Amino acid sequence: MSADLVSDDLWERVSPLLPVRAPRRHRYPGRLPADDRAALRGIVYVLRKSVSWRDVPAELVGCSGVTAWRRLRDWTEAGVWPRLHEVLPAELRGEGLLEMDDAAIDASHVRALKKGAHTGPSPVDRARPGSKHHLIVDRNGTPIAVSLTSGNRHDVTQLMPLLDAMPRIRGLRGRHRPRRLFADRGYDYDKYRRLIRARGITPKIARRGAPHGSGLGKTRWVVERTFAWLHQFKRLRIRYEIRADLHLGLLQLACSIICLRRLRTPF
């Protein structure tokens, strides 16, 4: 089962991004450090199962859960996860599997059980502490850019940061931004429509107060499906990490795994 947690193709893309470990001392070298691939298994195990780090089965993944958490911390601080999430969309574009003409944006609330950065009273969960996942996907639902905010931040505040955070994925025509951006009524502000157009993108945003049935949902639904895919990783359904960067790192890793599935099995 451990081999299923970290496939060869995932490891081939992660390993070149890992920071170089300091050489061991000649005298008193101490114990051999745990294998990096085993540590990644532990991280993926927690991401999928949402067990406590101390409950990670060392006999299954090859290292203790505490070691896996330390590698998650070190690799997050080294910027491994956002770089991984840039590599895979570029591969998809190279294979012709990334459809960037149409993109969709949305946000999803998750409860935060512990205090920390990017948590706040949620307006949809009786003011309990929560966080929000913000996401842009391509026409097929491939996650392109993701961010994390507190639960009381308005969705529209992350619209421009997410657009600007999209990696420069160049294709035959050199575009790295979508031609059209689909969003629900939460993004219905003329100011943001102007900012979107200034970037060469046509906004397709539902109007508040207008009757339903505009037809925009036929394209926008893919972002909701991607959130469903992300929440199959049980660690993302509820935020347990106090450190926001660690939770965001797990979110970026999950997005990368979804991109890798797209490479394996085009739909």
Side-chain angles (χ1 to χ4, degrees):
M1 181 178 176
S2 61
D4 295 334
L5 292 173
V6 177
S7 60
D8 290 339
D9 50 1
L10 175 59
W11 178 243
E12 287 170 3
R13 290 163 176 82
V14 172
S15 56
L17 306 177
L18 300 181
V20 178
R21 189 180 296 115
R24 300 179 71 205
R25 295 174 297 181
H26 180 67
R27 296 185 64 189
Y28 312 112
R31 292 185 301 174
L32 278 171
D35 178 66
D36 283 338
R37 185 164 181 170
L40 184 58
R41 285 193 205 107
I43 294 170
V44 174
Y45 186 87
V46 170
L47 179 61
R48 292 186 181 279
K49 304 294 185 182
S50 193
V51 301
S52 166
W53 290 99
R54 294 189 179 277
D55 292 334
V56 172
E59 66 281 1
L60 177 65
V61 303
C63 72
S64 71
V66 174
T67 296
W69 180 89
R70 288 174 180 154
R71 298 289 171 86
L72 171 66
R73 176 199 61 195
D74 296 343
W75 296 344
T76 299
E77 292 173 354
V80 170
W81 314 120
R83 283 186 286 150
L84 176 65
H85 193 208
E86 289 179 8
V87 166
L88 286 160
E91 288 190 42
L92 286 166
R93 186 62 178 262
E95 296 291 331
L97 298 174
L98 201 65
E99 298 188 28
M100 291 291 292
D101 281 352
D102 291 338
I105 185 172
D106 207 347
S108 176
H109 172 270
V110 295
R111 185 176 296 179
L113 294 187
K114 301 176 183 178
K115 293 182 179 179
H118 299 320
T119 62
S122 170
V124 298
D125 193 19
R126 300 181 182 180
R128 293 188 178 100
S131 297
K132 274 186 178 180
H133 299 159
H134 303 262
L135 186 64
I136 286 182
V137 303
D138 79 338
R139 187 177 181 85
N140 294 314
T142 306
I144 305 300
V146 66
S147 67
L148 177 72
T149 67
S150 58
N152 56 339
R153 287 290 297 275
H154 198 290
D155 295 357
V156 78
T157 61
Q158 290 300 295
L159 194 158
M160 304 317 299
L162 274 179
L163 281 177
D164 293 339
M166 294 180 69
R168 299 186 67 85
I169 307 167
R170 295 196 176 273
L172 297 176
R173 291 171 291 182
R175 287 186 64 90
H176 68 278
R177 285 178 175 151
R179 296 185 181 278
R180 294 171 291 274
L181 180 66
F182 291 77
D184 63 21
R185 289 166 174 78
Y187 299 86
D188 179 24
Y189 293 89
D190 288 338
K191 167 189 172 182
Y192 289 97
R193 282 190 171 87
R194 290 193 297 270
L195 291 173
I196 293 171
R197 289 193 181 97
R199 284 163 170 76
I201 304 169
T202 302
K204 298 288 186 179
I205 303 173
R207 292 281 185 182
R208 286 191 297 263
H212 290 268
S214 63
L216 299 179
K218 293 178 181 178
T219 302
R220 199 179 64 233
W221 70 274
V222 294
V223 69
E224 298 173 1
R225 182 182 63 180
T226 303
F227 275 123
W229 289 342
L230 285 172
H231 292 165
Q232 289 177 357
F233 298 93
K234 295 181 181 179
R235 192 71 174 189
L236 300 179
R237 296 178 188 174
I238 298 176
R239 176 179 163 183
Y240 294 93
E241 286 70 36
I242 296 176
R243 287 180 51 170
D245 60 338
L246 299 187
H247 185 77
L248 178 59
L250 292 172
L251 181 59
Q252 290 165 335
L253 174 57
C255 288
S256 299
I257 293 173
I258 291 172
C259 290
L260 190 57
R261 290 176 184 167
R262 175 93 169 99
L263 271 171
R264 294 175 189 150
T265 311
F267 44 74

